[in-house]
Amino acid sequence: MLDYKQLCDTSHYQNDELFSYYLNNDNMMILKATQGINYIDPTIYKRFLACLSIKVEFLGIYHYLDKKYNAQEQAIHFFVLYKKLYNIANHCNIKLVPILDYEEGTTQQYNEFKNEWYKLTKTTLVTYTSASWLKNIDTTNTALWVAGWTNSDELIQKRIDTYPTCILYQYTNHVENAYVNFSIDRNYLITDRLKFLYFEESEDK
């Protein structure tokens, strides 16, 4: 298996204690930022600043593509927040990775979002989706975050081999002992493939 590190992705659904525990253990994090054309996750600012305060090794934020809304307007909504946070992170010498969470909607909406994003930034985004959805989209020049929800070494290796630009693989980790009982999304970050994050890049955001 390729070299990897582990990290969590969180939104307001995960409490602050859980967020802090994994942030400090992993020194990396992915945060939910926006959804639709108006929604901003209520934890994004506080948790973004917490990530900067410890100078995380890897930091991503994502937009959840909502099938009820115009995809281009969603890209603009995400861009407005991303640009603000990108500039702050850049001053801390941290590269903020933009991610599109594609779990619903049409292929056309997905393409419209990506095209609008490219117009705005001249860069690509990471695409998060499941293996079953990947067959519907063109993954050329797209860094992928593939959801598998199992930490079977065999399946992880299969996903990584199938998608050469897969840089993240998500699985569900269940923790149960005398003190806690919960499930949380965990991810393998394939460090050998981080070059796929930036197919095309502009210094101006």
Side-chain angles (χ1 to χ4, degrees), residues 107-172:
T107 303
Q108 181 178 343
Q109 284 179 304
Y110 170 79
N111 290 332
E112 286 174 351
F113 188 104
K114 284 190 65 180
N115 290 339
E116 185 65 26
W117 183 264
Y118 187 80
K119 289 178 186 177
L120 292 166
T121 68
K122 295 298 184 290
T123 66
T124 59
L125 313 93
V126 176
T127 292
Y128 167 88
T129 196
S130 64
S132 61
W133 281 72
L134 281 170
K135 62 186 178 184
N136 300 322
I137 61 176
D138 180 6
T139 60
T140 305
N141 285 359
T142 302
L144 298 173
W145 175 13
V146 180
W149 303 297
T150 175
N151 60 353
S152 157
D153 288 343
E154 182 179 353
L155 181 57
I156 292 169
Q157 192 64 56
K158 180 180 178 181
R159 292 284 186 262
I160 291 170
D161 291 343
T162 302
Y163 305 106
T165 61
C166 173
I167 65 164
L168 285 153
Y169 176 87
Q170 184 186 70
Y171 67 95
T172 300

Side-chain angles (χ1 to χ4, degrees), residues 178-196:
Y179 306 100
V180 297
N181 185 345
F182 65 89
S183 295
I184 190 168
D185 289 336
R186 294 284 280 162
N187 302 276
Y188 291 106
L189 176 68
I190 314 302
T191 54
D192 293 349
R193 294 184 174 178
L194 292 183
K195 62 184 179 182
F196 295 121

Side-chain angles (χ1 to χ4, degrees), residues 13-181:
Y13 289 113
Q14 288 76 41
N15 63 42
D16 287 340
E17 290 76 16
L18 207 58
F19 163 78
S20 297
Y21 172 79
Y22 282 105
L23 174 64
N24 288 297
N25 275 271
D26 299 335
N27 196 37
M28 296 187 285
M29 186 61 65
I30 297 172
L31 304 170
K32 181 173 183 178
T34 53
Q35 179 173 336
I37 59 175
N38 294 306
Y39 180 82
I40 297 176
D41 189 287
T43 64
I44 181 64
Y45 293 109
K46 177 173 68 174
R47 293 183 178 182
F48 171 77
L49 293 175
C51 291
L52 296 191
S53 72
I54 67 167
K55 297 189 179 299
V56 288
E57 182 179 348
F58 180 93
L59 180 57
I61 63 171
Y62 69 87
H63 173 88
Y64 184 94
L65 184 64
D66 193 322
K67 65 182 179 182
K68 298 189 298 292
Y69 300 101
N70 178 278
Q72 290 148 312
E73 292 180 13
Q74 291 190 65
I76 293 168
H77 174 49
F78 183 40
F79 171 74
V80 170
L81 180 61
Y82 175 78
K83 181 179 180 180
K84 181 189 303 183
L85 300 186
Y86 173 93
N87 289 331
I88 297 170
N90 200 43
H91 283 298
C92 300
N93 295 315
I94 294 173
K95 178 72 75 173
L96 186 61
V97 178
I99 301 166
L100 174 57
D101 183 347
Y102 176 51
E103 301 179 58
E104 61 176 64
T106 64
T107 303
Q108 181 178 343
Q109 284 179 304
Y110 170 79
N111 290 332
E112 286 174 351
F113 188 104
K114 284 190 65 180
N115 290 339
E116 185 65 26
W117 183 264
Y118 187 80
K119 289 178 186 177
L120 292 166
T121 68
K122 295 298 184 290
T123 66
T124 59
L125 313 93
V126 176
T127 292
Y128 167 88
T129 196
S130 64
S132 61
W133 281 72
L134 281 170
K135 62 186 178 184
N136 300 322
I137 61 176
D138 180 6
T139 60
T140 305
N141 285 359
T142 302
L144 298 173
W145 175 13
V146 180
W149 303 297
T150 175
N151 60 353
S152 157
D153 288 343
E154 182 179 353
L155 181 57
I156 292 169
Q157 192 64 56
K158 180 180 178 181
R159 292 284 186 262
I160 291 170
D161 291 343
T162 302
Y163 305 106
T165 61
C166 173
I167 65 164
L168 285 153
Y169 176 87
Q170 184 186 70
Y171 67 95
T172 300
N173 186 44
H174 185 71
V175 180
E176 183 176 358
N177 56 40
Y179 306 100
V180 297
N181 185 345

